Amino acid sequence: MMDISREKMYVWGLCILLFAGCKSINGKYIHEDDILYVQGRTPWNSRQYCYADKFGSPKLPKEYPFNYFKAANPFSYGLALVMDQNDEWKYIDRKGNVVIDASDYSMCWGFGELMNPGQGCIKGLAYVCKSESDTCNFLYYSEDKGEFVDSGTRFGMINRKGQVVLPIEYEHITGLNGDIPPYDAIWWVRKNGLYGAINEKARLIIPLKYTDIKLFENGHALVKSNDFWGLINKRDKTVFPFSITEYKQFATSKSQSRTLAKQGDHWGIINHKGKTIIPFVYARWEEVQDWHIVRLYKADGSYVTWNFKEDKYLD
């Protein structure tokens, strides 16, 4: 029978009590007594915020209830983004000290915060932007013009020291699709109408040269250049030539993308690595069931049926 001393039992019990009052935030355990929560100062005024402990007692700003924040984000990576009473952005620590004066920026995001719904964030970095207008507007698609319209806002990124790690000169930043695999930790940036890619350290790894892009998935991405689409890998190596004029992407049950593509006058199917799995000899295609079963026809009327979900022929 294992002999456990009273001292060891006491230490183990103390550890259990300590961890019972802890929460994991960004992979680090923080005792619940030290966690600060955003709280509206008054229910009728959404422009007055403070930070309170788990009991609802105000802790920040220190002068509360005489002062307040006009905007307040949850703490992330030890810092919180707030807007002071002069409408200026600041990043503060848990003691209320201003660590980063972000008043030069038109708008900021918290560290690790999504810039757009469904878009992943770069851990430990924060998006910032500058705009000539009062608001920061994202690059948007105009149905009337049939193209993306530049709003004049420029985006970049800073680290937790306030240093600019991605210059505030990009029209758009996009990457991942939430945090769901198989999307890769690569973000596209757009400048002067051309796209390049950065990694999780905000370093440019693919030059600004593509006119349109799809997100990186399983190490590869569809990109457009000179009116044609092609497939590249993370090192910007072309794995399927720039010869695609039309396409439609599907997903398999293994979350691997398959692309129904058109070269010249013919359709075929390639996998996520650029390998042709159905040759480009078909004149047209049609969906025969939901989103995953497609029939491809030759000019003589013969056809094959492909199940994208199961990644195989049905005929």
Side-chain angles (χ1 to χ4, degrees):
M1 185 174 181
M2 185 171 60
D3 181 25
I4 301 177
S5 67
R6 290 185 177 181
E7 289 80 4
K8 288 183 178 180
M9 291 180 66
Y10 174 79
V11 171
W12 287 358
L14 183 60
C15 289
I16 291 172
L17 287 173
L18 287 173
F19 276 97
C22 292
K23 289 186 178 181
S24 178
I25 299 179
N26 295 317
K28 297 181 179 180
Y29 282 97
I30 299 175
H31 198 275
E32 194 170 0
D33 289 341
D34 296 325
I35 299 175
L36 298 176
Y37 302 87
V38 177
Q39 177 175 281
R41 181 184 174 199
T42 53
W44 56 88
N45 191 338
S46 61
R47 293 278 286 171
Q48 295 186 9
Y49 296 94
C50 70
Y51 289 91
D53 60 20
K54 66 178 181 179
F55 301 106
S57 300
K59 297 297 181 182
L60 298 177
K62 296 291 188 180
E63 296 82 3
Y64 184 90
F66 305 105
N67 286 332
Y68 52 85
F69 300 116
K70 285 190 174 181
N73 283 27
F75 274 90
S76 180
Y77 293 90
L79 299 177
L81 173 66
V82 299
M83 178 185 283
D84 65 18
Q85 295 177 59
N86 296 319
D87 293 333
E88 294 183 343
W89 293 105
K90 315 284 184 183
Y91 290 90
I92 62 171
D93 61 20
R94 295 180 185 278
K95 295 181 179 180
N97 300 315
V98 175
V99 177
I100 302 172
D101 183 346
S103 57
D104 288 339
Y105 303 117
S106 304
M107 188 172 177
C108 304
W109 285 258
F111 285 93
E113 183 184 5
L114 306 183
M115 187 167 67
N116 282 325
Q119 175 185 312
C121 55
I122 297 184
K123 296 179 179 179
L125 300 181
Y127 299 109
V128 296
C129 77
K130 291 185 178 182
S131 174
E132 295 179 359
S133 63
D134 294 333
T135 59
C136 284
N137 296 313
F138 300 107
L139 185 74
Y140 67 95
Y141 187 81
S142 170
E143 295 290 348
D144 296 334
K145 296 183 178 180
E147 61 183 12
F148 281 99
V149 177
D150 180 9
S151 66
T153 303
R154 293 296 177 263
F155 298 89
M157 292 182 182
I158 61 172
N159 62 20
R160 282 175 284 176
K161 294 181 180 179
Q163 299 166 329
V164 176
V165 294
L166 184 70
I168 299 91
E169 57 190 25
Y170 294 96
E171 301 153 13
H172 193 57
I173 303 172
T174 185
L176 296 178
N177 186 9
D179 292 322
I180 304 173
Y183 294 94
D184 301 319
I186 294 176
W187 286 257
W188 288 106
V189 292
R190 187 178 190 264
K191 181 179 178 181
N192 297 327
L194 296 176
Y195 289 92
I198 60 174
N199 61 13
E200 67 276 7
K201 295 182 180 179
R203 294 174 181 168
L204 197 67
I205 57 174
I206 294 178
L208 295 154
K209 61 180 182 178
Y210 296 114
T211 55
D212 205 351
I213 48 92
K214 298 292 286 184
L215 296 183
F216 266 93
E217 184 178 358
N218 289 308
H220 299 79
L222 274 171
V223 293
K224 190 177 185 181
S225 178
N226 297 323
D227 297 323
F228 291 97
W229 290 85
L231 195 66
I232 63 170
N233 63 18
K234 295 179 180 180
R235 296 185 297 276
D236 197 28
K237 179 182 178 181
T238 301
V239 296
F240 191 84
F242 285 83
S243 56
I244 299 171
T245 54
E246 297 179 51
Y247 72 90
K248 185 172 182 178
Q249 287 189 301
F250 298 82
T252 70
S253 57
K254 296 180 180 179
S255 297
Q256 294 177 339
S257 64
R258 299 290 181 260
T259 302
L260 178 66
K262 187 178 183 181
Q263 282 186 315
D265 296 326
H266 296 93
W267 291 87
I269 297 176
I270 61 176
N271 67 12
H272 64 285
K273 294 182 179 180
K275 180 181 179 181
T276 300
I277 54 180
I278 289 187
F280 288 80
V281 296
Y282 297 92
R284 64 184 182 89
W285 63 275
E286 65 178 7
E287 287 188 46
V288 295
Q289 181 180 331
D290 298 329
W291 54 269
H292 64 279
I293 298 180
V294 169
R295 188 166 289 159
L296 295 95
Y297 294 88
K298 289 185 177 180
D300 61 7
S302 60
Y303 63 84
V304 295
T305 306
W306 184 263
N307 186 327
F308 280 97
K309 186 175 182 180
E310 300 299 328
D311 210 23
K312 65 180 182 181
Y313 287 103
L314 289 184
D315 300 324

